[in-house]
């Protein structure tokens, strides 16, 4: 079982601790999505080319996902609260360093440092949440709040980014984290218990290298396929990532105290939660990235107005996840989880069915339905964390967060690149190459109307691909979960 350095937290202080964890998650998620709005201005300010732009967006999620497993294992041994507070400190310091950033490389370096800080924060929040709420029913409700915070943060990122950009400039999108992290350090120290595992996983250099190689190679492969199609480079990257992944799994299976408890994947309830988290993250990330660009570049919204226009997603996200546990107690976990995925699919597919020219009213409805569909995320968290023994809470938290981060990278690299490919295919044959790089370069030229229509078709393609992925996940999850499963994971 998990040991605490302090007596279990009860009463008001426990819910105050949840507020600290949710607030820290909000900041990290907002930072993941704020770039959707801030990227155009950052691109102009530091003269970032197409490759640099992709790295500015992807660097954060890539390093965060790659470090989740070793950092979670370190936190199990060293202390989850201590790791969380160090993550807060690094996140704040990296955000403050933006005042010195004048080149694309500097911005990418800051995003990498933020990813390291995020890797220290994300799994620790879930592990500590389990320590705060040992009761499965209370934990499911707390995880619903946690998931609602994540969904709301994803949608609020563009709004916060738009507001900061209009009032202060792009540096403020980073600097706003500094005072928040300072408060989080103090509040976390006062309100959160220390938590460690009695059987912490081994942290070995070979395992860390294999984990990082697996993540990096597979993500690079996804990016390359999205940009250049399937070729020998993509095949080589997939082979490298798959080989490293197989070696990592075998290494973990041979160890009595592995860095990652890969045996958790043998539990079909755990697998269903991971699939839900992964697919939901893919769809949400792509929707926000391409949707924010469509609102600004095609509809002509300012960054702030675009942020406001994305609020239906946050509103739906605030409704679905907190209500899901209560509904699951009445009708069962499987119908609610599958229903959430179906709502997510419906919202994405609405984008395909909207008449042209695509109106914001229709897009707003799609965003709202997708937000309600994130009800599946709270239950997915409950399944992932509840299916794991207490001493493997760190591994479960790492897998869940890795699912979100891998999904985010895939959403950008695969669905985002697919939208770009559809956009370029829809341009006139005589359009200059620079117009193919971005619809923004077509504004004010004779190709503006054609580029706007092509980008709208690309946006609809994201809806189609995301909707089909969510439908496939709903089918798989329905088959994986027992019909009589309840929140205590008994059936």
């Amino acid at each position: 079982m998990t040991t605490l350095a302090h007596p279990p937290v009860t009463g008001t202080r426990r819910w105050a601790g949840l507020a600290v964890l949710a607030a820290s998650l909000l900041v990290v998620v907002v930072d993941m999505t704020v770039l959707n709005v801030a990227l155009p201005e950052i691109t102009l300010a530091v003269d970032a080319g197409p490759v640099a732009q992709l790295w500015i967006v992807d660097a954060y999620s890539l390093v965060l996902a790659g470090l989740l497993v070793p950092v979670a294992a370190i936190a199990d041994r060293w202390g989850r609260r201590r790791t969380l507070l160090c993550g807060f400190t690094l996140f704040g310091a990296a955000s403050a360093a933006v005042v010195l950033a004048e080149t694309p490389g500097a911005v990418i370096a800051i995003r990498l440092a933020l990813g390291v800080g995020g890797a220290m924060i994300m799994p620790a929040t879930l592990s500590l949440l389990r320590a705060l709420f040992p009761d499965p029913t209370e934990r499911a409700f707390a995880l619903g709040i946690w998931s609602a915070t994540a969904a709301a943060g994803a949608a609020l990122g563009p709004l916060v980014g738009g507001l900061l950009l209009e009032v202060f400039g792009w540096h403020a999108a980073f600097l706003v984290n500094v005072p928040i992290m300072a408060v989080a350090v103090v509040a976390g120290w006062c309100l959160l218990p220390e938590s460690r595992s009695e059987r912490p996983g081994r942290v070995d250099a070979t395992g860390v290298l294999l984990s990082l190689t697996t993540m990096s190679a597979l993500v690079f492969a996804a990016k390359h396929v999205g940009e250049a199609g399937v070729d020998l480079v993509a095949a080589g990257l997939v082979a490298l990532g798959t080989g490293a992944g197989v070696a990592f799994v075998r290494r973990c299976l041979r160890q009595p105290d592995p860095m990652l408890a890969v045996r958790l994947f043998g539990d079909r309830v755990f697998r269903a939660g991971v699939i839900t988290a992964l697919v939901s993250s893919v769809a949400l990330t792509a929707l926000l990235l391409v949707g924010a660009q469509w609102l600004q570049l095609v509809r002509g919204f300012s960054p702030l107005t675009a942020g406001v226009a994305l609020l239906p997603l946050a509103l739906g996200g605030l409704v679905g996840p907190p209500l899901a546990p209560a509904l699951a107690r009445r009708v069962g976990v499987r119908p609610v989880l599958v229903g959430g995925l179906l709502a997510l699919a419906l919202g994405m597919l609405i984008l395909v069915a909207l008449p042209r020219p695509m109106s914001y009213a229709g897009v707003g409805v799609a965003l709202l339905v997708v937000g309600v569909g994130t009800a599946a995320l709270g239950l997915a968290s409950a399944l992932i964390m509840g299916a794991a023994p207490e001493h493997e809470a760190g591994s479960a938290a790492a897998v869940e967060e890795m699912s979100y981060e891998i999904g985010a990278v895939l959403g950008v690299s695969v669905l985002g690149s697919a939208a770009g490919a559809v956009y370029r295919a829809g341009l006139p044959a005589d359009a200059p190459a620079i117009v193919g790089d971005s619809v923004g370069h077509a504004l004010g030229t004779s190709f503006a109307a054609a580029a706007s229509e092509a980008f709208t078709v690309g946006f609809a393609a994201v809806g189609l691909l995301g909707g089909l992925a969510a439908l496939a996940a709903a089918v798989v999850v329905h088959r994986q979960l027992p019909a009589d499963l309840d929140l205590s994971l008994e059936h």
Side-chain angles (χ1 to χ4, degrees):
M1 58 182 290
T2 299
T3 57
L4 301 178
H6 304 284
V9 178
T10 58
T12 304
R13 186 179 171 192
R14 178 175 50 174
W15 295 101
L18 172 62
V20 174
L21 297 177
S24 62
L25 172 70
L26 180 66
V27 173
V28 174
V29 174
V30 165
D31 203 76
M32 290 170 60
T33 57
V34 72
L35 262 291
N36 295 340
V37 171
L39 185 60
E41 186 167 330
I42 293 175
T43 299
L44 294 175
V46 301
D47 193 23
V51 175
Q53 291 178 45
L54 283 175
W55 273 109
I56 288 172
V57 174
D58 289 343
Y60 178 86
S61 295
L62 178 60
V63 70
L64 195 158
L67 292 178
L68 279 171
V69 171
V71 170
I74 291 171
D76 282 349
R77 183 181 301 273
W78 191 49
R80 292 157 182 161
R81 183 183 70 163
R82 184 180 296 176
T83 303
L84 180 69
L85 298 182
C86 288
F88 288 161
T89 303
L90 176 58
F91 206 89
S95 298
V98 77
V99 297
L100 304 176
E102 298 180 352
T103 65
V107 176
I108 293 170
I110 289 171
R111 293 282 289 169
L112 289 171
L114 288 170
V116 176
M120 301 174 76
I121 294 171
M122 297 286 271
T125 61
L126 279 170
S127 298
L128 286 169
L129 191 148
R130 174 156 183 165
L132 286 170
F133 298 94
D135 177 73
T137 301
E138 281 195 339
R139 183 167 63 240
F141 178 75
L143 285 168
I145 299 296
W146 188 89
S147 298
T149 302
L156 287 174
L159 174 59
V160 172
L163 180 61
L164 293 172
L165 283 171
E166 287 206 359
V167 178
F168 301 107
W170 71 271
H171 291 88
F174 293 84
L175 293 175
V176 69
N177 298 327
V178 178
I180 297 175
M181 289 294 100
V183 173
V185 169
V186 176
W189 179 265
C190 296
L191 295 172
L192 297 174
E194 186 55 279
S195 171
R196 297 182 180 87
S197 172
E198 286 188 345
R199 294 163 57 186
R202 176 186 302 180
V203 182
D204 62 291
T206 301
V208 173
L209 180 61
L210 289 173
S211 175
L212 287 171
T213 301
T214 301
M215 294 296 303
S216 300
L218 293 179
V219 168
F220 280 140
K223 286 165 59 67
H224 186 80
V225 169
E227 295 169 5
V230 178
D231 56 16
L232 290 177
V233 174
L237 288 169
V238 170
L240 175 62
T242 302
V246 170
F248 177 75
V249 169
R250 287 180 175 176
R251 187 175 184 83
C252 289
L253 289 174
R254 289 196 303 265
Q255 295 173 336
D257 52 348
M259 186 164 61
L260 181 70
V262 294
R263 289 185 179 86
L264 290 172
F265 285 95
D267 188 322
R268 56 180 176 167
V269 173
F270 183 86
R271 290 198 304 270
V274 171
I275 291 169
T276 301
L278 176 66
V279 173
S280 298
S281 181
V282 169
L284 285 170
T285 302
L287 177 63
L288 283 168
L289 175 65
V290 182
Q293 293 182 60
W294 180 81
L295 289 167
Q296 293 179 81
L297 299 175
V298 176
R299 298 290 299 178
F301 290 7
S302 69
L304 178 58
T305 306
V308 173
L310 291 170
L311 278 181
L313 180 63
L315 294 176
L318 290 173
V319 172
L323 293 180
L327 186 59
R329 284 194 295 271
R330 296 176 65 89
V331 302
V333 171
R334 189 173 74 174
V336 178
L337 193 63
V338 172
L341 286 168
L342 291 176
L344 179 64
L346 174 62
M348 298 294 289
L349 292 174
I350 286 174
L351 296 174
V352 184
L354 290 176
R356 303 292 188 271
M358 189 182 289
S359 68
Y360 169 70
V363 172
V365 171
L367 292 169
L368 181 64
V369 175
V370 168
V372 173
T374 59
L377 287 175
L379 287 182
S381 296
L383 297 184
I384 293 171
M385 297 305 297
E390 288 190 25
H391 70 274
E392 294 178 342
S395 283
V399 170
E400 177 170 355
E401 295 301 340
M402 203 159 44
S403 300
Y404 290 135
E405 301 313 318
I406 293 173
V409 171
L410 291 176
V412 171
S413 59
V414 178
L415 269 66
S417 296
V422 171
Y423 163 71
R424 288 187 291 274
L427 292 174
D430 58 342
I434 193 171
V435 172
D437 290 339
S438 169
V439 65
H441 290 122
L443 300 181
T445 73
S446 59
F447 298 98
S452 295
E453 175 57 27
F455 194 86
T456 300
V457 175
F459 187 24
V462 168
L464 177 62
L465 294 174
L468 292 177
L471 285 175
V475 173
V476 173
V477 168
H478 185 271
R479 293 179 176 177
Q480 290 281 314
L481 292 181
D484 58 347
L485 183 70
D486 61 29
L487 285 177
S488 67
L489 301 188
E490 294 180 352
H491 58 94

